[in-house]
Amino acid sequence: MPIKLGRVYRANEKARVRTKRLRTLVMLAGGVGFGALLGLVAISDFGPFGSGNVAQAAEAGPDFAICGMVRRTCVVDGDTFWLEGVKIRIADIDTPEISEPRCDAEYALGIRARDRLRDLLNEGPFALEPVGTRDEDQYGRKLRVVIREGNSLGDRLVAEGPARTWTGRREPWC
């Protein structure tokens, strides 16, 4: 009996094929210029998203906005953001949900956490450090600790109140 593939699966499969093709093209174009190098960093296991050395996310720091329909460099919530098209989950904290809050207090604190994370990310360059042996979570987000001047931005959010230290499982906010 043939397996019927859903629309989402087909779309994900097409995206994987496109990414593979783009990676191959960028690698072939290796000496073409700095743009090719940036493309390689953005889609491969190197640079700030990979599991190798800690790297600066940007010299002057990217400009983060609140995520809308297009998600390239923006903040989703207090512990998730996109950087140059790569989705990052801050591995050392947990913040309230915005998309499916269980109470008004959780939503309000989630908005506060999201806005504060955006402000912190926009303050300047930072580094992304891999944590443990897992590179990604179950949703395909890169698990990283965000570091600026030797300090975790996650720890700063915890100290300011809209986040808590990640314990390995979600706890209720209501």
Side-chain angles (χ1 to χ4, degrees):
M1 176 161 198
I3 297 173
K4 230 177 161 177
L5 301 178
R7 234 181 308 172
V8 172
Y9 177 84
R10 286 192 307 267
N12 287 342
E13 191 58 32
K14 286 181 182 178
R16 275 192 288 276
V17 169
R18 278 194 305 268
T19 301
K20 258 182 143 173
R21 286 180 186 155
L22 182 57
R23 185 178 294 148
T24 301
L25 286 173
V26 169
M27 290 174 77
L28 290 174
V32 172
F34 187 67
L37 178 61
L38 286 179
L40 178 63
V41 167
I43 62 173
S44 72
D45 289 335
F46 304 105
F49 316 114
S51 55
N53 296 332
V54 176
Q56 289 296 331
E59 284 286 322
D63 186 28
F64 286 88
I66 300 302
C67 290
M69 294 297 289
V70 176
R71 294 182 174 196
R72 180 96 182 123
T73 299
C74 60
V75 176
V76 176
D77 59 25
D79 55 25
T80 307
F81 64 95
W82 288 80
L83 178 60
E84 299 298 323
V86 176
K87 196 172 188 181
I88 312 274
R89 165 68 161 83
I90 301 177
D92 59 344
I93 62 170
D94 182 35
T95 60
E97 294 302 316
I98 296 173
S99 61
E100 295 180 18
R102 295 191 173 156
C103 63
D104 291 341
E106 179 177 12
Y107 179 76
L109 190 57
I111 294 296
R112 188 172 141 217
R114 178 199 67 191
D115 292 350
R116 185 63 183 131
L117 177 60
R118 178 202 56 211
D119 295 345
L120 288 171
L121 292 173
N122 281 329
E123 284 180 5
F126 54 83
L128 297 172
E129 285 186 357
V131 62
T133 57
R134 282 183 57 196
D135 185 51
E136 293 183 351
D137 67 5
Q138 63 189 14
Y139 305 107
R141 300 176 295 187
K142 297 290 186 182
L143 295 170
R144 300 292 184 265
V145 176
V146 183
I147 303 292
R148 178 180 292 128
E149 297 173 0
N151 299 310
S152 163
L153 295 187
D155 287 346
R156 191 158 164 196
L157 280 170
V158 170
E160 293 177 6
R164 61 180 164 219
T165 302
W166 176 248
T167 61
R169 63 186 176 105
R170 293 198 176 274
E171 301 286 336
W173 288 93
C174 299

